[in-house]
Amino acid sequence: MPNRPARPRGPGRHHDERRAEIADAVLAVVVELGLDGVSLTEVARRAGVSPGRVQHYFPAKQRLIEAAFDRGNELSEARIRERAGGSLEEARPAEVLRIVLDELIPYDAASTAHLRVRQSFIARALADEAIAAKLRALYAGFHDRMAALLSAEQRAGTVPEGLEPRAAARALVAQAEGLASYVLLGVVDAAEARGQLERSLAELYG
């Protein structure tokens, strides 16, 4: 649920479109070959450009992974909005909560690629403070927005008054991401993971 700046026009817009096309190519490679298959040559082939052009936009493989991470978040938000009927602001908070948590579980090729990149990015953050700082900022905003949904439900009287929204938001997101890891590893399937999240939400709503 990140906030996105308005896309520029003119040359800047073309630049952003090319970066997005390359990031989409990275996600396509991840779907078929996994993260180890990401290379300048393979990404260039999928994007229909030269390896030099890919390197112009992304000088190192790490930058390709970062771009795929950001692009995956952008595409995920678009799917969330579509599932919510086009407007998160007009949808019921309970429905937005359910959709957002469900979107954290891989359910098709696009979401699987996104979440593989996301998990890899998190793993890299353990050894890279710059990535860790970026993730902390992203999670802070994400948790705040999830907490705001829970606060709205408190005002509506649908969740307990004594609930601490931000702590509950963190717990739900952590559970969803842990289940996503299990799905990616083959420990559980997506249906089981979704069912567990549904039960957690049902318990929250009492």
Side-chain angles (χ1 to χ4, degrees):
M1 298 170 65
N3 295 319
R4 299 195 309 274
R7 290 196 181 280
R9 298 178 180 179
R13 180 179 179 83
H14 176 75
H15 177 83
D16 282 356
E17 288 174 349
R18 179 60 72 189
R19 287 176 60 90
E21 289 169 0
I22 293 172
D24 286 340
V26 177
L27 291 171
V29 172
V30 172
V31 169
E32 186 174 334
L33 304 176
L35 284 163
D36 288 342
V38 175
S39 67
L40 289 177
T41 302
E42 185 60 26
V43 170
R45 187 180 71 80
R46 301 289 179 114
V49 298
S50 68
R53 177 59 62 181
V54 173
Q55 195 166 30
H56 169 75
Y57 287 101
F58 305 103
K61 180 177 178 178
Q62 179 62 35
R63 297 291 179 252
L64 282 173
I65 300 299
E66 290 178 9
F69 174 81
D70 291 338
R71 179 63 170 163
N73 285 339
E74 181 181 350
L75 294 173
S76 178
E77 182 184 0
R79 290 193 297 270
I80 289 169
R81 288 188 177 279
E82 182 178 1
R83 293 175 65 181
S87 173
L88 297 182
E89 293 72 23
E90 295 178 6
R92 292 184 301 113
E95 182 66 5
V96 177
L97 276 169
R98 186 190 67 78
I99 292 170
V100 170
L101 291 173
D102 190 64
E103 186 66 26
L104 291 174
I105 302 298
Y107 58 89
D108 61 8
S111 61
T112 297
H114 169 218
L115 291 167
R116 280 180 181 170
V117 170
R118 186 185 183 97
Q119 295 285 345
S120 173
F121 208 63
I122 291 171
R124 288 169 186 262
L126 298 177
D128 189 321
E129 175 56 27
I131 296 176
K134 176 175 181 174
L135 284 177
R136 284 195 295 269
L138 288 172
Y139 272 119
F142 185 28
H143 292 154
D144 283 348
R145 288 187 285 280
M146 295 289 278
L149 293 170
L150 289 170
S151 294
E153 293 291 82
Q154 276 184 318
R155 292 191 294 273
T158 54
V159 298
E161 185 177 341
L163 180 78
E164 203 295 295
R166 204 163 195 282
R170 284 196 299 263
L172 286 169
V173 171
Q175 181 185 23
E177 292 194 326
L179 287 168
S181 296
Y182 277 12
V183 174
L184 292 172
L185 289 170
V187 177
V188 300
D189 61 25
E192 184 177 348
R194 283 198 185 89
Q196 183 58 60
L197 284 175
E198 291 284 357
R199 289 190 289 274
S200 294
L201 284 173
E203 291 172 4
L204 182 67
Y205 280 78

